[in-house]
Amino acid sequence: MRISLLPLFLLALPLLEIAGFVIVGREVGALATVGLVLASSIAGVLLLRHQGFGVMARVRAEMDAGHDPSRHLAHGAMIVVAAILLIIPGFITDIIGLLLFLPPVRDLAWRRFKGRIVVATDFSGGGFRRSRDRVIDLDDGDYSREDDFKRGPDHNSPWRRLKDD
């Protein structure tokens, strides 16, 4: 039976963070320690905003090219986790968060964990495809919200025929 160290780490983390505050506070002073904690929180928010938009642009480019965007989505998730770790007060979480902002560290984590992650998608034909043959184009007179309230559903509607195909 395999024992996970994660619960033990989560229990020990607050104690380690308090010890980190004491050690850093003793070296640089209490006011500087509070300033460092505030600066890391602000840095987390700014880095999330800057890098998050970049990751989303890369995901969109991968999808438009018809490729699997799972690596970039995983990088985006790790950036969110890194930002949360920076926003949480503490120096150990800040160190882990800063490491996760580095692309080589994220690549290493992705290679390590991608075998354990199941992505449920429809990659038929090697990528994303946008189906244009099932588009229904309606004119202004084909639909109005007032008609629905007065007479009920129209059984000859193109939307009904699409379901039956």
Side-chain angles (χ1 to χ4, degrees):
M1 178 185 247
R2 189 172 164 206
I3 299 173
S4 175
L5 296 177
L6 184 63
L8 179 65
F9 177 72
L10 290 177
L11 289 173
L13 184 61
L15 298 174
L16 294 171
E17 292 289 10
I18 292 170
F21 284 133
V22 169
I23 293 169
V24 172
R26 190 179 309 149
E27 292 297 321
V28 298
L31 191 59
T33 303
V34 171
L36 285 172
V37 170
L38 289 174
S40 71
S41 295
I42 292 170
V45 171
L46 294 175
L47 284 170
L48 175 63
R49 182 174 177 188
H50 177 71
Q51 291 218 348
F53 284 131
V55 167
M56 293 314 298
R58 288 189 292 275
V59 166
R60 179 177 291 267
E62 288 291 313
M63 288 176 64
D64 287 342
H67 298 123
D68 179 13
S70 60
R71 177 180 170 269
H72 296 292
L73 288 172
H75 277 248
M78 285 186 263
I79 286 173
V80 169
V81 169
I84 290 171
L85 288 174
L86 279 174
I87 292 169
I88 294 172
F91 294 109
I92 296 171
T93 55
D94 289 349
I95 291 168
I96 296 169
L98 285 173
L99 287 174
L100 277 177
F101 268 113
L102 300 173
V105 174
R106 290 195 311 259
D107 281 333
L108 178 69
W110 173 241
R111 283 194 303 272
R112 175 95 166 100
F113 292 114
K114 75 178 175 182
R116 297 181 182 186
I117 297 172
V118 177
V119 180
T121 60
D122 181 19
F123 288 113
S124 57
F128 287 106
R129 280 196 242 166
R130 294 183 182 169
S131 176
R132 302 234 186 256
D133 58 341
R134 311 242 334 158
V135 174
I136 298 174
D137 191 16
L138 298 176
D139 294 327
D140 290 338
D142 292 338
Y143 175 78
S144 70
R145 197 167 285 279
E146 292 85 26
D147 290 342
D148 285 345
F149 292 120
K150 291 178 187 172
R151 63 181 154 85
D154 181 12
H155 296 288
N156 294 325
S157 168
W159 295 103
R160 300 269 181 196
R161 286 186 301 222
L162 182 65
K163 272 185 163 178
D164 296 337
D165 287 345

